[in-house]
Amino acid sequence: MIKKVGVLGAGQMGSGIAQVLAQRETEVYLYDIAEAQLSKARAGIAKNLERQVQKGQLDAAAVDQVLGLIRTTRSLSDLAGCDLAIEAVTEKESLKLEIFRQLDETLKKEAILASNTSSIPITRIAAVTRRPDRVIGMHFMNPVPVMKLVEVIRGLATSEETFQAISHLVTRLDKEMAVSADYPGFIVNRILIPMINEAAFALFEGIATVEDIDKAMKLGTNQPMGPLTLADFIGLDTCLAIMEVLYQGFKDPKYRPCPLLVKMVEAGYLGKKSGRGFYNYA
């Protein structure tokens, strides 16, 4: 049974994963290279838990118990005794590969190594380790405490034992699992990101305004938010990175990133996190 989990990356995804694990009585080591990010993550988790208390979804006495199960660290060696490590850093392949090399050296040989990657093939990540049978994809959705889905991706060498262990963990976290073959983008982003890219093309080609594109898709297809709003929420740099993985992985022109999306990322218009994307948040 997985009792102790290391989470690498204390951003929005990593802190959300740490929270849901701790709320299911799992000991968590939340790792990041920046002390300020770890402090921000802990404060954010506490705020989320208090919000659940106010909504009647969590007993007030449980807040301290959950926070007590989350230890923050800047030392990778603190994760050595973990049964599972979940990498949730920036969607940059070179960074992820280096982290998996380090995890392979640091964690006990029977530990499972998982990636929260939204598009990079798990087989490629597993190949840099000496335990490819114990490497798997766990793609949580954002925001993690709210969204029910976890995409589980088996690499070419992922063992049935590893898959079953992660399947049981997903159930324990009160999430729903969708299993994907190991191809770029998996299920969600192979469908979602090209839709966002096509919305950017619609804007680029002058078909409609940002507002009308979002209104049409929101009211015409019953989506909770329009694709350009969603792109701003995800981060335009992340959307572009995934489109590039799809384009490079399939060599199909239908995955060509929209020139407007490329230009906006080059300008630093990354969406809500930078204050400006398809919309202005200043």
Side-chain angles (χ1 to χ4, degrees):
M1 184 177 176
I2 295 171
K3 297 181 179 179
K4 186 184 297 186
V5 180
V7 178
L8 292 92
Q12 192 170 20
M13 292 302 295
S15 60
I17 293 168
Q19 177 184 326
V20 298
L21 284 163
Q23 285 191 260
R24 293 299 182 273
E25 300 180 353
T26 305
E27 189 177 352
V28 181
Y29 284 81
L30 181 58
Y31 167 87
D32 201 284
I33 59 173
E35 188 63 45
Q37 187 61 47
L38 289 169
S39 298
K40 181 181 178 181
R42 194 167 189 85
I45 292 169
K47 186 176 180 180
N48 287 341
L49 294 172
E50 290 295 345
R51 191 179 296 118
Q52 289 183 15
V53 171
Q54 292 167 10
K55 291 180 177 180
Q57 299 170 344
L58 184 69
D59 191 282
V63 173
D64 287 340
Q65 181 182 351
V66 172
L67 289 173
L69 286 169
I70 302 172
R71 303 181 187 182
T72 57
T73 180
R74 293 174 60 198
S75 175
L76 206 59
S77 62
D78 286 343
L79 278 62
C82 289
D83 305 305
L84 166 68
I86 303 174
E87 167 273 313
V89 303
T90 305
E91 194 72 355
K92 185 177 179 182
E93 185 174 322
S94 59
L95 176 60
K96 291 182 185 290
L97 296 184
E98 180 55 35
I99 285 173
F100 270 78
R101 289 187 189 98
Q102 293 179 24
L103 287 173
D104 191 40
E105 292 288 339
T106 304
L107 270 69
K108 55 189 180 182
K109 64 181 182 180
E110 63 269 25
I112 296 171
L113 309 181
S115 177
N116 183 56
T117 180
S118 55
S119 61
I120 299 168
I122 299 303
T123 301
R124 191 181 304 165
I125 293 173
V128 303
T129 75
R130 295 168 297 180
R131 63 180 91 190
D133 59 314
R134 303 193 73 75
V135 177
I136 197 166
M138 288 186 77
H139 180 210
F140 290 81
M141 303 295 122
N142 189 25
V144 179
V146 176
M147 300 293 278
K148 296 290 288 185
L149 180 68
V150 180
E151 272 186 316
V152 175
I153 306 97
R154 300 177 72 154
L156 192 62
T158 304
S159 69
E160 182 63 24
E161 180 186 9
T162 297
F163 174 75
Q164 289 299 331
I166 295 305
S167 175
H168 292 152
L169 177 62
V170 170
T171 300
R172 202 170 98 209
L173 296 178
D174 194 29
K175 302 291 187 185
E176 294 285 340
M177 181 174 70
V179 182
S180 173
D182 187 27
Y183 292 101
F186 315 130
I187 303 169
V188 173
N189 282 326
R190 181 160 178 185
I191 298 169
L192 174 65
I193 300 300
M195 182 192 72
I196 289 172
N197 193 55
E198 194 61 31
F201 266 115
L203 179 64
F204 177 60
E205 294 169 4
I207 292 173
T209 64
V210 170
E211 292 78 10
D212 280 345
I213 290 168
D214 274 353
K215 183 190 296 184
M217 293 303 294
K218 183 177 179 180
L219 302 181
T221 63
N222 202 30
Q223 297 185 36
M225 66 178 75
L228 300 179
T229 298
L230 180 57
D232 277 357
F233 182 74
I234 294 170
L236 303 195
D237 51 340
T238 300
C239 292
L240 177 58
I242 296 170
M243 277 307 299
E244 288 174 336
V245 168
L246 291 170
Y247 187 52
Q248 293 164 12
F250 293 113
K251 301 295 189 294
D252 190 325
K254 74 179 181 180
Y255 297 117
R256 175 174 65 96
C258 175
L260 176 60
L261 181 60
V262 174
K263 190 67 67 180
M264 291 178 73
V265 171
E266 289 175 345
Y269 300 165
L270 308 182
K272 199 168 183 180
K273 63 186 175 185
S274 70
R276 182 170 179 179
F278 289 108
Y279 292 89
N280 194 330
Y281 302 91

